[in-house]
Amino acid sequence: MKVSVSILKEYNRLINAVRKVNESKADFLHVDVMDGVFVDDVKFPLEVAKDVISYSKKKIDMHLMVNDLDTVIKYASLKPDYLTFHVEIIKDNKILHKIKNLGIKVGLAINPETKINKLLPYIDDIDLVLFMSVNPGKGGQEFKGEVLDKIKEFKKTTNKDLIINIDGGINDKTIDAVKEAGCTLVVSGSYVTNSDNYDSKISSLR
Ligand code: DX5
Ligand code: ZN
């Protein structure tokens, strides 16, 4: 299992958190961008995201909780390894091609309430699906187990070899069911960053 560590809950001591992720065995640094419209909060404006990326030694897994496709393109200019935005805002496949042409792997995130058929027109043009297991907007929320059935249903519907990522409430209690549902990458925030020993938490998710 690949692990992507979200530093959202460490927003007030970002450099310290990026350093701890750098020193850990995490596969990715997960950057949660929020625009104050798609979700209430504002986090990782472009300049902050840029600084975080330049300080990070890990691959960047960027999760855009933004309402505007122009904003998606702006963040693509930072060249993260993975760029994921929400299926709830996509209009057509053109933006996926634009991002791929920049050499970035592209993902679509899907909220707990959104049906998987929303994803189907795009699956040939994406590398990853990010299933939200909480309502997006903040860290430290409780895992919504219903999402696991959605993942299983999605995997039955498509035989394309996509990265299946999950985000929200991932910890040592929820990880077994997440593995069983077929996820290949997990995002974990507070479970890892509330600890002094990131690696012991990361190992428990592998
Ligand atoms: C929620 C964010 C998550 C969040 C996960 O909107 O997308 O990445 O930081 O935090 P935990 O693991 O604490 O639920
Ligand atoms: Zn996220």
Side-chain angles (χ1 to χ4, degrees):
M1 179 66 78
K2 300 256 190 236
V3 179
S4 183
V5 175
S6 162
I7 51 171
L8 182 61
K9 287 282 240 177
E10 299 298 297
Y11 201 77
N12 294 332
R13 35 183 180 218
L14 272 184
I15 289 300
N16 186 49
V18 179
R19 184 180 47 75
K20 281 166 124 174
V21 176
N22 280 345
E23 289 166 0
S24 80
K25 294 195 168 75
D27 299 287
F28 294 91
L29 179 72
H30 183 87
V31 181
D32 283 305
V33 176
M34 303 185 180
D35 67 350
V37 181
F38 189 80
V39 292
D40 292 340
D41 217 344
V42 176
K43 285 287 179 321
F44 297 97
L46 200 70
E47 288 307 311
V48 175
K50 199 174 178 178
D51 286 350
V52 163
I53 291 174
S54 67
Y55 194 59
S56 174
K57 292 185 182 148
K58 297 292 178 182
K59 287 187 182 166
I60 302 296
D61 164 33
M62 186 172 268
H63 175 197
L64 301 181
M65 286 161 272
V66 303
N67 215 37
D68 188 309
L69 295 173
D70 291 337
T71 310
V72 175
I73 293 300
K74 263 187 213 146
Y75 280 85
S77 73
L78 300 180
K79 299 276 183 82
D81 297 272
Y82 290 176
L83 183 67
T84 298
F85 63 100
H86 275 256
V87 72
E88 291 83 7
I89 68 156
I90 196 169
K91 305 227 160 49
D92 57 46
N93 299 46
K94 271 186 241 150
I95 186 161
L96 301 172
H97 300 151
K98 256 195 197 172
I99 296 169
K100 282 193 146 204
N101 287 339
L102 294 168
I104 300 168
K105 287 203 193 307
V106 64
L108 283 173
I110 179 163
N111 280 343
E113 306 303 323
T114 307
K115 299 271 184 285
I116 55 169
N117 58 12
K118 274 283 256 174
L119 289 167
L120 301 182
Y122 308 109
I123 50 176
D124 288 331
D125 293 310
I126 57 177
D127 301 287
L128 172 154
V129 179
L130 174 59
F131 286 90
M132 292 305 300
S133 39
V134 295
N135 288 322
K138 53 180 193 282
Q141 303 183 74
E142 200 178 320
F143 183 74
K144 285 179 180 284
E146 319 86 81
V147 74
L148 298 173
D149 289 334
K150 208 161 122 179
I151 295 172
K152 288 177 192 164
E153 195 189 332
F154 177 76
K155 283 184 69 85
K156 260 190 242 160
T157 325
T158 164
N159 41 27
K160 220 202 141 195
D161 192 20
L162 292 166
I163 298 164
I164 305 290
N165 191 5
I166 187 164
D167 185 4
I170 302 298
N171 56 41
D172 56 345
K173 310 229 163 29
T174 52
I175 191 68
D176 288 344
V178 161
K179 277 185 195 159
E180 203 251 327
C183 294
T184 48
L185 172 65
V186 290
V187 177
S188 188
S190 52
Y191 172 66
V192 175
T193 62
N194 283 348
S195 165
D196 284 335
N197 186 345
Y198 282 19
D199 270 344
S200 74
K201 300 292 176 184
I202 293 166
S203 307
S204 71
L205 302 174
R206 293 271 183 217

